[in-house]
């Protein structure tokens, strides 16, 4: 009876061993097929590298990347054109304001001179010239002293 149980256990183990061996052989065959397929693909890609002919998919990717770069470059060119236009307009406005500033300064100098010459005595005019800033001080925007005109 022990011999029969041992024979039965041996047969069961042999059956499991045979099943495991078949699975291993099937898996090995599948792996060999996948390996051969990958080796063919590697050989194909190496051939493309050697001849300098990339595949269509690679060409598509290259073209797509180039299109993205071109779109970005177009966007940057448009921004540059807009900034240049804004800069020209700012320059035009600044030039106009500088001309107005010069005209107002000239008008102010003329008014000060006319006021000084027409309404002050010689002594008051001398005092007035000392009290009012010079033309250089006016140009820089600072005053040497505060004007004090007191008429009695």
């Amino acid at each position: 009876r022990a011999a029969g149980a041992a024979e039965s256990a041996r047969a069961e183990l042999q059956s499991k061993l045979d099943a495991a061996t078949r699975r291993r052989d099937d898996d090995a065959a599948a792996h060999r097929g996948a390996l051969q397929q990958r080796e063919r693909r590697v050989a194909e890609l190496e051939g493309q590298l050697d001849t300098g002919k990339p595949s269509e998919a690679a060409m598509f990717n290259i073209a797509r990347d180039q299109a993205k770069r071109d779109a970005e470059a177009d966007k940057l060119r448009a921004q540059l054109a807009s900034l240049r236009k804004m800069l020209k307009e700012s320059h035009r406005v600044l030039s106009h304001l500088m001309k107005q500033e010069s005209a107002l300064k000239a008008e102010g100098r003329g008014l000060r001179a006319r006021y000084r010459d027409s309404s002050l005595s010689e002594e008051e005019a001398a005092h007035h010239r000392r009290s009012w800033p010079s033309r250089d001080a006016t140009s820089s925007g600072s005053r040497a002293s505060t004007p004090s005109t007191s008429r009695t």
Side-chain angles (χ1 to χ4, degrees):
R1 187 169 189 176
E7 186 61 34
S8 171
R10 184 182 167 287
E12 185 181 334
L13 288 175
Q14 185 62 44
S15 170
K16 287 182 179 180
L17 179 62
D18 291 343
T21 302
R22 278 191 303 276
R23 280 194 310 271
R24 182 202 63 201
D25 291 344
D26 291 344
D27 288 347
H31 287 291
R32 270 193 305 277
L35 181 60
Q36 289 172 349
Q37 186 178 15
R38 285 190 178 98
E39 287 173 347
R40 283 191 302 271
R41 180 67 177 145
V42 167
E44 176 188 341
L45 291 173
E46 285 175 345
Q48 288 179 6
L49 287 175
D50 291 340
T51 62
K53 299 177 187 174
S55 69
E56 286 183 29
M59 290 295 287
F60 176 75
N61 289 335
I62 291 168
R64 184 184 61 220
D65 292 344
Q66 183 63 42
K68 286 180 185 177
R69 284 190 296 272
D70 290 346
E72 184 65 24
D74 290 343
K75 181 180 170 185
L76 291 172
R77 281 187 198 102
Q79 287 178 342
L80 179 60
S82 174
L83 290 172
R84 282 183 175 156
K85 182 179 176 184
M86 290 169 55
L87 181 60
K88 284 180 183 178
E89 178 64 18
S90 295
H91 180 69
R92 187 188 66 74
V93 169
L94 179 62
S95 296
H96 176 72
L97 292 173
M98 289 172 66
K99 286 177 187 176
Q100 283 184 330
E101 178 188 29
S102 294
L104 289 172
K105 283 181 179 180
E107 184 179 345
R109 285 189 300 269
L111 288 173
R112 279 195 301 271
R114 271 190 279 157
Y115 173 76
R116 205 175 42 235
D117 294 343
S118 66
S119 64
L120 302 175
S121 68
E122 191 61 37
E123 183 180 308
E124 289 174 300
H127 174 71
H128 186 74
R129 280 192 291 274
R130 286 190 305 271
S131 301
W132 281 89
S134 66
R135 181 194 298 187
D136 295 334
T138 305
S139 299
S140 67
S142 64
R143 290 194 165 175
S145 64
T146 305
S148 59
T149 53
S150 60
R151 297 188 76 176
T152 54

